Structure formats: structure tokens, C-alpha cells
Amino acid sequence: MSELDIKEVHIVPVGSAGEVKDTDSKLDFYNSALVYLLNDKRSIYIGESIDIKNRFSSHNRHDSKKDLLIRHAIYSHLFNKSVPYI
């Protein structure tokens, strides 16, 4: 495994529908494989997706996940479909 430069990995807050809250025009967020975190003060859910808006739509219909209102995505152009593998 090669060394990864932290500047190549981005952590951004996202809204409940998977929309980027802080935008950077250089980043291709919606066309990237990513890991995401849904949490509150007591619980955390960690997932991965290549379609965050569709995935969050699904989570918003699930009682235990829709209440996890702190949401972040972790992504990089180096991630492939299987995000944990670079």
C-alpha cells in the first residue's frame, strides 16, 4: 500500500439529503466513491456509497438513521468503488 497525502482526502459536512454544505468547485463529490458518517452524541453509523443522495434518501426512511443529523462524507479521487481499498 502506498503512502497517502492527507491533502488528497476530503471531509465535508453534508445535509440530510446528501447535499454538500461547503462546496469546492475543484472536487467531484457526486461522482466519487466515498465513506460517510451519520451520528449524534450517542450513536454513529458508518457507510460507503457511490450515490450519496440515493443512499441518504434510503437512510431518511429508516427510523434509527434519520435521527442521526450530524453527517459527513470522506472522499478522494483515489478511492475506487470499494472505498477502503486505494
Side-chain angles (χ1 to χ4, degrees), residues 31-47:
N31 295 313
S32 300
L34 52 86
V35 172
Y36 60 89
L37 310 170
L38 312 177
N39 67 289
D40 62 14
K41 290 182 179 183
R42 297 177 46 175
S43 301
I44 188 167
Y45 177 85
I46 303 169

Side-chain angles (χ1 to χ4, degrees), residues 14-30:
V14 293
S16 63
E19 72 280 7
V20 177
K21 288 187 171 184
D22 294 332
T23 183
D24 183 337
S25 59
K26 295 180 285 184
L27 305 177
D28 194 13
F29 181 80
Y30 294 109

Side-chain angles (χ1 to χ4, degrees), residues 16-18 55-63 65-66 71:
S16 63
R55 194 69 185 118
F56 276 28
S57 175
S58 173
H59 287 324
N60 288 336
R61 293 188 301 268
H62 193 276
D63 286 340
K65 292 182 185 110
K66 71 180 179 184
R71 298 174 176 208

Side-chain angles (χ1 to χ4, degrees), residues 33 48 50 78-86:
E48 63 179 299
I50 57 172
L78 301 173
F79 292 167
N80 61 28
K81 187 175 178 185
S82 236
V83 175
Y85 304 101
I86 299 176

